[in-house]
Amino acid sequence: AQSVAQPEDQVNVAEGNPLTVKCTYSVSGNPYLFWYVQYPNRGLQFLLKYITGDNLVKGSYGFEAEFNKSQTSFHLKKPSALVSDSALYFCAVRDSGAGSYQLTFGKGTKLSVIP
Amino acid sequence: EPEVTQTPSHQVTQMGQEVILRCVPISNHLYFYWYRQILGQKVEFLVSFYNNEISEKSEIFDDQFSVERPDGSNFTLKIRSTKLEDSAMYFCASLTPGSLGMNTEAFFGQGTRLTVV
């Protein structure tokens, strides 16, 4: 079975400071990892993904994430936070070897960027 | 940019009534999904659909639920007899496989907020 853990319900960061939103995963095979963002009353928007290759992946709006196989982590990062980054962030995983087509999501982390 | 569209954006229904949630996936996508998000909780997988049949479903997707792709463009989720606990945001998603198989991202619609009273 595949699972995702986002250990922080909420992350607060001052505007201009770096931000990190944590994610760890568990799969039996190789992971396909994704970050999505949800703004209030909106759907899920894709930010970035890790499939294979470089452990550091870059995505939309200046976000990046680092895949760490030994720690089974895929933390989302941004060097300088904006107030407009305030939203709910979801990490998701799909097991590449399980023959499963579903994404398993974490419970989400609410990011608040304080002006 | 192509997008997944869902209608209605908000549906209020009485307990025991049938509801149909509608989705128009991205036109060249092959896999279709329904997920739901109960207020304040995680996004949960309901069902995946490929080649006109269900490919996978979760424990949540019981006999009350059904999916259909009636006309090659729409993808619907029917709940036969709604319960209070069906109140949630329902998201439709679609994707098409990449060169490494299921390594592409799913595109999500804006969601339908279902309120059962």
Side-chain angles (χ1 to χ4, degrees):
Chain A
Q2 54 196 41
S3 66
V4 174
Q6 292 181 243
E8 302 152 320
D9 290 336
Q10 177 143 358
V11 170
N12 297 321
V13 63
E15 186 177 23
N17 282 2
L19 69 88
T20 298
V21 182
K22 295 179 181 176
C23 170
T24 58
Y25 66 89
S26 175
V27 296
S28 54
N30 290 318
Y32 294 151
L33 292 155
F34 305 83
W35 275 101
Y36 285 84
V37 59
Q38 184 182 31
Y39 296 100
N41 300 312
R42 301 289 298 277
L44 298 165
Q45 296 180 33
F46 169 75
L47 274 181
L48 52 77
K49 66 182 177 184
Y50 171 82
I51 302 300
T52 187
D54 288 342
N55 290 340
L56 185 66
V57 293
K58 295 185 184 295
S60 308
Y61 313 119
F63 284 93
E64 57 190 29
E66 186 166 12
F67 171 64
N68 187 317
K69 188 172 183 177
S70 62
Q71 296 185 4
T72 60
S73 66
F74 189 56
H75 301 329
L76 181 70
K77 299 181 181 184
K78 187 173 182 181
S80 178
L82 301 173
V83 173
S84 57
D85 292 330
S86 298
L88 193 55
Y89 290 81
F90 290 96
C91 182
V93 69
R94 183 185 296 136
D95 189 333
S96 65
S100 170
Y101 305 121
Q102 65 174 283
L103 279 172
T104 297
F105 284 85
K107 63 183 171 75
T109 299
K110 183 179 179 182
L111 173 67
S112 294
V113 181
I114 302 155
Chain B
E1 186 175 325
E3 59 180 14
V4 176
T5 57
Q6 291 184 243
T7 55
S9 56
H10 192 187
Q11 172 112 31
V12 181
T13 188
Q14 286 196 324
M15 190 170 54
Q17 295 296 304
E18 174 182 287
V19 295
I20 298 176
L21 310 183
R22 292 183 166 80
C23 169
V24 179
I26 294 173
S27 61
N28 64 339
H29 284 186
L30 301 177
Y31 289 83
F32 314 111
Y33 304 82
W34 284 100
Y35 288 80
R36 80 171 184 190
Q37 182 184 30
I38 294 172
L39 186 64
Q41 298 185 28
K42 64 193 279 186
V43 178
E44 300 173 294
F45 169 77
L46 293 178
V47 65
S48 61
F49 192 84
Y50 170 71
N51 202 23
N52 286 319
E53 61 183 25
I54 291 174
S55 51
E56 199 172 9
K57 61 183 180 179
S58 72
E59 292 176 354
I60 303 167
F61 194 88
D62 61 22
D63 291 344
Q64 271 213 115
F65 292 88
S66 62
V67 290
E68 199 176 36
R69 189 159 159 79
D71 57 12
S73 61
N74 291 285
F75 179 51
T76 62
L77 174 69
K78 182 192 292 185
I79 308 175
R80 259 179 274 282
S81 178
T82 51
K83 300 183 283 216
L84 295 177
E85 53 264 40
D86 293 327
S87 295
M89 181 74 92
Y90 288 81
F91 291 108
C92 174
S94 69
L95 69 76
T96 200
S99 57
L100 297 177
M102 300 297 283
N103 61 328
T104 51
E105 63 272 22
F107 288 81
F108 284 78
Q110 301 284 65
T112 293
R113 182 170 296 284
L114 176 65
T115 303
V116 182
V117 298

